[in-house]
Amino acid sequence: MAEFDFIVVGAGSAGCVLANRLTENGKYTVLLLEAGGSDLNFWIWMPIGYGKTFYRKSVNWMYLSEPCPELNDRVSYWPRGKVMGGSSSINAMVYIRGQKEDFEDWKAMGNPGWGWDGVLPYFKMSETNDRGGDGYRGGEGPVHVSTMDRDLHPTCQDFIRAGEELQFAHNPDFNGATQEGVGTYQNTAKDGMRMSTARAYIRPARKRPNLAIEKHALTTRILFEGKRAAGVAYSQHGMMREARARREVIVSAGAVNSPQLLQLSGVGPTDLLRQKGIDVVHPSEGVGRNLQDHLAIDYLFRSRVPTLNDQLYPWYGKLWHGLRYVLTRRGPLSLGVNQAGGFVRGRPGEERPNIQLFYSPVSYTKAPPGKRPLMNPDPFSGFLLGAQPTRPTSRGHLEIRSADPFEPPAIHPNYMSTDHDIDEMLQCSQLMRRFAEAPAMARLIECEIAPGPQVQTDEDMIEDCRQRAGTVFHPVSTCKMGPNPGEDVVDSRLRVYGLEGLRVADASIFPTLTSGNTNAPAIMVGEKAAAIILEDIKD
Ligand SMILES: Cc1cc2nc3c(=O)[nH]c(=O)nc-3n(C[C@H](O)[C@H](O)[C@H](O)COP(=O)(O)OP(=O)(O)OC[C@H]3O[C@@H](n4cnc5c(N)ncnc54)[C@H](O)[C@@H]3O)c2cc1C
């Protein structure tokens, strides 16, 4: 049986970082196992290809949640990357770290080393900001972060002016001294092409003799010798294989699959494991619990001025912009869909920004699976305003349906299940209307298409959220880090409680959801996990 010092399960945002950093000094061998295949795919590398990979089975797990009672029993569609780079290969590329206070909260919850001072060096280490490094931003890291201003749609400036009219300051850098304010987003991209963690961390490392990468390798079980993780079993091209880990198995399969793999391997809630006929290796009630996610509401407007719809809807527009992209890597196809936005307080009394905003100068009617809405915008001038509460208090869970590793887990997001979250969804809706009435935006708007003028009262707005709000694909915390072995899954050094030689390192360990998009913090977790592991193995 093949033997390695470390086995990393999952080549996603965090897993790719670990594979690179643990092989960097040449002392250790690493096996990186990825259930998906290569990321050499035009639709992955071209930013607007997001619309294509969104529903593409060859690179996407395409999960569906269970019906959510508070969303009128609607099922949520949960894309997750199943490809080298994981979700960083199919995401919308917005680069946001979160608020300093998020990490101070993590520390205060009993996680020494995870306060702002403890995580900032790893954010910086991972990043090359195209504006250069400084006290906050990185200048020499693998992940390139790009300012898109020269190609932004001109109406982004109207959005920012509207924010200023509402007394929200213009913030030129959401990842600098403060996150608060309105402005334009930066993307994880370089030269008009997506910067996934496969591109940033694996491409430079893949020829190292001490790094073995196995694609289309679905890890089905962690193999234990007593309480020690000794290796893994995986399925590849219809064959079952095994590999041994001399030192550690590191699970980086993401917020859906990391808890799934632990449960399949006998680490999870005792009753659940018994029910599914799985031998309990170690009871851990927290595995799959504490699920948190961002839920957003969009307002759709018909515009008086041309938007990206006018450029991308006609066939000749697609052709022109396609050619322009191929020849120059410029133009709207080189950008993500969320061009401007911000972080604001939904009400004056809020302690810190509690709402994230998105402005997309393009509109599309969300299509069922199989359709590719972003490449086919609406046939009229239109744009979207979106908003989401940054720190929801609703908690869901996920669990395996059976002992079959190929069967997707049952996901219960439990959105909008607290009064706090219902109130913040209302704040989001009210804020969208305030933006629409601000003079700089009002002059662009011909009419509001969704939800439309019939939605007026607070009750109408809340019902509209139950009817239309959707995930923005940031599930976290299903293998939560914390000080209580009874409830938490890993300690502050990411070791799974009660077991040896086993860590979890990805977005599933976040103690709470960060205020913003989750790719940058997942990469930071990968960086910090690698540093912790190298420190812990003392030879
Ligand atoms: C559609 C979409 C849009 C998003 N937009 C943004 C955005 O604009 N900005 C942002 O910051 N964040 C965004 N996110 C969220 C962000 O990308 C994720 O939070 C982040 O990538 C999570 O990193 P991770 O390492 O935890 O998991 P992932 O990156 O999902 O990696 C997990 C990896 O493990 C592999 N794997 C799973 N199970 C197994 C197994 N059993 N065996 C082997 N391999 C396995 C998976 O195939 C995958 O490659 C978006 C996500 C999606 C899906």
Side-chain angles (χ1 to χ4, degrees):
M1 195 193 310
E3 201 171 284
F4 301 84
D5 288 312
F6 298 100
I7 297 176
V8 178
V9 178
S13 298
C16 289
V17 182
L18 277 148
N20 178 315
R21 296 301 189 198
L22 294 177
T23 51
E24 211 167 24
N25 65 14
K27 278 166 72 176
Y28 309 110
T29 55
V30 171
L31 170 64
L32 176 63
L33 293 171
E34 170 52 44
S38 163
D39 64 319
L40 276 181
N41 177 324
F42 181 71
W43 301 116
I44 287 179
W45 284 63
M46 180 178 76
I48 206 97
Y50 173 77
K52 292 271 186 195
T53 56
F54 197 75
Y55 290 122
R56 188 159 285 207
K57 219 172 166 187
S58 57
V59 297
N60 192 328
W61 293 89
M62 294 181 65
Y63 289 118
L64 292 176
S65 79
E66 299 302 294
C68 186
E70 306 295 338
L71 297 189
N72 296 342
D73 279 333
R74 282 185 299 127
V75 166
S76 294
Y77 173 56
W78 277 30
R80 310 304 303 159
K82 185 183 186 183
V83 60
M84 290 300 292
S87 298
S88 76
S89 287
I90 67 159
N91 72 12
M93 307 190 343
V94 172
Y95 182 84
I96 290 291
R97 293 170 174 180
Q99 295 169 11
K100 282 176 204 170
E101 294 86 346
D102 296 334
F103 303 99
E104 290 302 314
D105 288 348
W106 287 15
K107 186 169 130 191
M109 289 168 77
N111 298 298
W114 291 88
W116 179 241
D117 290 347
V119 299
L120 179 60
Y122 298 101
F123 277 119
K124 290 178 67 178
M125 182 192 288
S126 65
E127 183 197 15
T128 293
N129 180 18
D130 70 354
R131 299 167 182 164
D134 60 22
Y136 296 98
R137 307 301 300 267
E140 291 167 22
V143 178
H144 285 251
V145 177
S146 297
T147 308
M148 306 179 295
D149 289 2
R150 64 181 186 171
D151 280 328
L152 290 180
H153 194 269
T155 54
C156 290
Q157 293 310 322
D158 298 299
F159 168 82
I160 294 169
R161 265 194 297 279
E164 289 174 321
E165 286 163 1
L166 296 172
Q167 308 304 313
F168 301 128
H170 177 211
N171 185 346
D173 185 1
F174 298 134
N175 299 293
T178 174
Q179 193 196 52
E180 186 156 13
V182 289
T184 55
Y185 285 116
Q186 283 189 304
N187 275 352
T188 40
K190 187 183 177 204
D191 302 329
M193 288 186 285
R194 172 186 296 276
M195 180 53 75
S196 70
T197 52
R199 183 179 176 199
Y201 287 91
I202 298 301
R203 242 146 253 284
R206 70 193 157 151
K207 298 231 166 78
R208 289 179 190 160
N210 55 338
L211 174 61
I213 301 172
E214 294 293 340
K215 297 173 202 143
H216 301 290
L218 179 99
T219 306
T220 54
R221 205 154 43 90
I222 301 162
L223 304 172
F224 287 98
E225 282 170 3
K227 292 273 180 181
R228 187 177 169 277
V232 297
Y234 62 97
S235 160
Q236 193 178 34
H237 309 306
M239 304 270 287
M240 281 309 301
R241 300 177 196 277
E242 291 187 359
R244 280 185 72 82
R246 273 187 292 267
R247 291 171 185 272
E248 296 191 5
V249 173
I250 303 151
V251 179
S252 298
V256 175
N257 298 94
S258 286
Q260 178 198 28
L261 181 61
L262 289 184
Q263 291 177 0
L264 288 168
S265 309
V267 183
T270 313
D271 288 350
L272 172 74
L273 302 188
R274 292 218 174 104
Q275 223 181 58
K276 306 298 176 194
I278 292 173
D279 292 338
V280 179
V281 174
H282 183 72
S284 182
E285 294 304 311
V287 175
R289 300 265 147 199
N290 288 305
L291 173 59
Q292 302 166 42
D293 192 13
H294 284 136
L295 184 74
I297 183 76
D298 284 344
Y299 274 50
L300 168 61
F301 298 93
R302 189 184 275 268
S303 168
R304 288 183 209 280
V305 301
T307 63
L308 280 182
N309 294 7
D310 302 85
Q311 296 179 37
L312 295 178
Y313 179 75
W315 66 265
Y316 50 86
K318 286 188 183 68
L319 182 67
W320 160 243
H321 287 293
L323 277 175
R324 184 173 175 212
Y325 178 75
V326 169
L327 296 174
T328 66
R329 300 272 182 273
R330 295 277 310 269
L333 304 193
S334 70
L335 309 179
V337 284
N338 296 308
Q339 299 193 350
F343 296 85
V344 300
R345 299 168 205 237
R347 292 205 186 104
E350 296 290 342
E351 266 175 36
R352 53 188 172 118
N354 65 329
I355 308 272
Q356 181 173 6
L357 303 169
F358 292 98
Y359 172 71
S360 306
V362 59
S363 75
Y364 49 88
T365 312
K366 279 183 184 142
K371 298 276 168 11
R372 286 143 194 169
L374 300 181
M375 299 302 284
N376 286 311
D378 291 325
F380 52 83
S381 311
F383 62 84
L384 284 166
L385 283 177
Q388 72 203 37
T390 49
R391 293 176 298 280
T393 54
S394 298
R395 298 288 180 265
H397 73 280
L398 64 83
E399 57 188 37
I400 48 172
R401 291 174 206 271
S402 72
D404 177 1
F406 295 92
E407 188 173 18
I411 301 170
H412 301 266
N414 214 19
Y415 297 118
M416 278 180 80
S417 57
T418 64
D419 290 344
H420 170 273
D421 292 0
I422 294 169
D423 177 56
E424 287 201 332
M425 290 306 291
L426 174 62
Q427 290 185 33
C428 287
S429 305
Q430 291 168 336
L431 204 52
M432 298 297 89
R433 285 274 168 82
R434 284 170 61 204
F435 262 87
E437 284 162 13
M441 286 248 89
R443 100 185 156 78
L444 307 182
I445 295 173
E446 191 177 308
C447 65
E448 180 187 294
I449 299 174
Q454 77 287 358
V455 170
Q456 286 303 334
T457 64
D458 291 358
E459 290 70 29
D460 293 342
M461 284 180 172
I462 292 169
E463 180 51 32
D464 174 53
C465 290
R466 295 195 195 287
Q467 202 46 44
R468 292 193 311 116
T471 171
V472 284
F473 324 117
H474 297 160
V476 300
S477 303
T478 46
C479 298
K480 178 171 164 272
M481 169 171 71
N484 306 311
E487 304 161 18
D488 302 317
V489 178
V490 298
D491 66 12
S492 60
R493 300 194 79 74
L494 306 181
R495 295 171 294 211
V496 177
Y497 280 117
L499 296 164
E500 284 162 39
L502 183 62
R503 303 196 206 225
V504 181
D506 57 26
S508 71
I509 67 93
F510 290 13
T512 51
L513 194 46
T514 45
S515 307
N517 313 65
T518 44
N519 187 37
I523 295 170
M524 176 279 288
V525 167
E527 289 280 9
K528 192 164 166 82
I532 288 173
I533 292 167
L534 291 172
E535 210 175 272
D536 282 356
I537 51 165
K538 293 183 183 74
D539 50 303

